[in-house]
Amino acid sequence: MSNIESSERGVLYLVATPIGNLGDLSPRAVEILGSVSLIAAEDTRHTRKLLSANDLATELLSYREHNHARVFQRILERLETGRDVALVSDAGTPGISDPGQALVAAAVARGLRVSPIPGACAAVAALAASGLPSDRFLFVGFPPRKTGALRRWAEGLAREPGSLLLYESPQRIAKTLAILAELWPERRAVVARELTKLHEEMDHGELSELASRWDREVKGELVLVVEGIEEDVSGEKLAPELERLMPLAAALRDDKALSAKDTARLLADCLDVDKRQAYALVSRGLATPGGEED
Ligand code: SAM
């Protein structure tokens, strides 16, 4: 869709709102919230307080998960007739772990212009302050509630190299930490609680330590940041399935049947594991007596 076509239609603004501290609402967010024809809000009572604190009285439309199909239609019609609409969630960036994403997808599918008004996002704020690697990360939202599903879900993330960003409720944080600690007791993690609020807290530690510290009644909002798998190409820490194949890798190389690179590629393809880890294994095999580097 070209800009000319879309300019005759309204713009859907995604307006980030504070995750605790009202001072985090940007001047541009206030300007947009005051200029649009309608604000679609997850909870209109909650958003009305934010509007009154900024002397705004823009029309509000409740946009909750259970009625969003019907509400979509009204919002999209407004946009089609050239009026701007702002979308806000209860806190933070709309569309991140809230029903806003479906509306954005519908607007994009119709070629409508969607424009972000950036601001707070709990996951990004927690990551930035965690001290854990932020060059690569994976936002995974809320984990499954049931124990079996939670364990399988975590196992599926075991080989993720980036930091993991999870949202969790105070009622479930103890269970989630316990299961993650069972799987990866030594991984570093941070529980970020009540960010930007009076009782803001960043608790750092290995998962096993955090699991015992947070096994209690908890209040407030939480983000959990967990470091990803250590990518150690020197071969210090390898996936268990690769560890078991050490003797095979060494034998293949001793036979000189394959180069180190080809051995690694073969192992990686057969086991569906990371090629760099497979190469680390092969290099380790070569470092054993009788081995030889390429
Ligand atoms: N769209 C929001 C965002 O950009 O952060 C997230 C919405 S999600 C429904 C709400 C979850 O975000 C909470 O359950 C909690 O896990 C996390 N959260 C929100 N505010 C927070 C805060 N001040 N401190 C820590 N976590 C927060």
Side-chain angles (χ1 to χ4, degrees):
M1 185 62 59
S2 77
N3 280 338
I4 299 170
E5 276 174 271
S6 52
S7 70
E8 286 158 17
R9 301 193 288 167
V11 177
L12 176 64
Y13 290 102
L14 302 188
V15 181
T17 57
I19 55 170
N21 189 319
L22 291 183
D24 291 338
L25 188 69
S26 75
R28 198 157 82 96
V30 175
E31 188 191 315
I32 296 286
L33 292 176
S35 71
V36 292
S37 74
L38 175 75
I39 300 173
E42 223 181 328
D43 179 340
T44 51
R45 277 178 313 172
H46 184 91
T47 303
R48 204 176 305 282
K49 285 188 203 147
L50 185 75
L51 294 185
S52 337
N54 289 278
D55 294 325
L56 300 173
T58 310
E59 184 188 344
L60 283 167
L61 175 65
S62 161
Y63 169 73
R64 282 174 190 271
E65 219 152 350
H66 66 263
N67 73 2
H68 72 226
R70 188 162 44 84
V71 174
F72 267 21
Q73 216 35 50
R74 283 176 65 188
I75 296 171
L76 293 170
E77 273 164 26
R78 223 175 244 237
L79 292 164
E80 296 283 7
T81 54
R83 287 171 296 171
D84 295 340
V85 174
L87 174 69
V88 300
S89 59
D90 284 352
T93 300
I96 305 299
S97 271
D98 62 46
Q101 200 279 331
L103 176 62
V104 175
V108 169
R110 290 195 181 201
L112 288 158
R113 196 177 138 214
V114 178
S115 180
I117 309 296
C121 172
V124 173
L127 173 70
S130 70
L132 295 175
S134 59
D135 53 341
R136 177 138 66 152
F137 62 87
L138 183 67
F139 172 68
V140 290
F142 289 93
R145 295 178 182 205
K146 294 201 171 142
T147 308
L150 174 56
R151 191 171 282 116
R152 283 192 297 280
W153 174 88
E155 281 166 355
L157 294 167
R159 300 188 36 72
E160 168 58 40
S163 294
L164 300 172
L165 310 185
L166 288 73
Y167 285 157
E168 193 46 289
S169 76
Q171 295 75 31
R172 290 192 295 273
I173 189 72
K175 179 166 150 189
T176 296
L177 279 170
I179 286 177
L180 297 184
E182 249 175 63
L183 295 172
W184 319 310
E186 286 165 14
R187 279 205 201 178
R188 293 179 301 154
V190 175
V191 177
R193 190 177 78 87
E194 295 287 86
L195 293 174
T196 78
K197 302 185 199 176
L198 186 62
H199 299 291
E200 179 178 284
E201 178 182 6
M202 298 287 285
D203 190 12
H204 304 249
E206 292 185 352
L207 277 170
S208 56
E209 297 164 342
L210 292 176
S212 39
R213 283 209 286 277
W214 290 80
D215 186 16
R216 57 177 167 84
E217 196 189 328
V218 178
K219 288 199 173 123
E221 298 196 277
L222 304 157
V223 181
L224 177 61
V225 186
V226 181
E227 76 174 336
I229 191 169
E230 198 180 319
E231 273 199 302
D232 189 348
V233 290
S234 72
E236 290 299 308
K237 206 173 180 181
L238 295 169
E241 61 271 49
L242 276 173
E243 282 283 6
R244 283 197 296 275
L245 284 175
M246 273 285 274
L248 175 64
L252 278 170
R253 284 298 297 130
D254 282 349
D255 263 349
K256 300 236 182 305
L258 290 172
S259 71
K261 245 190 206 149
D262 288 344
T263 310
R265 195 171 300 131
L266 185 71
L267 288 176
D269 287 346
C270 291
L271 293 170
D272 196 25
V273 295
D274 189 71
K275 282 199 177 63
R276 291 211 285 163
Q277 280 221 331
Y279 191 76
L281 169 83
V282 174
S283 309
R284 248 168 78 174
L286 293 176
T288 58
E292 177 198 318
E293 284 286 1
D294 256 4

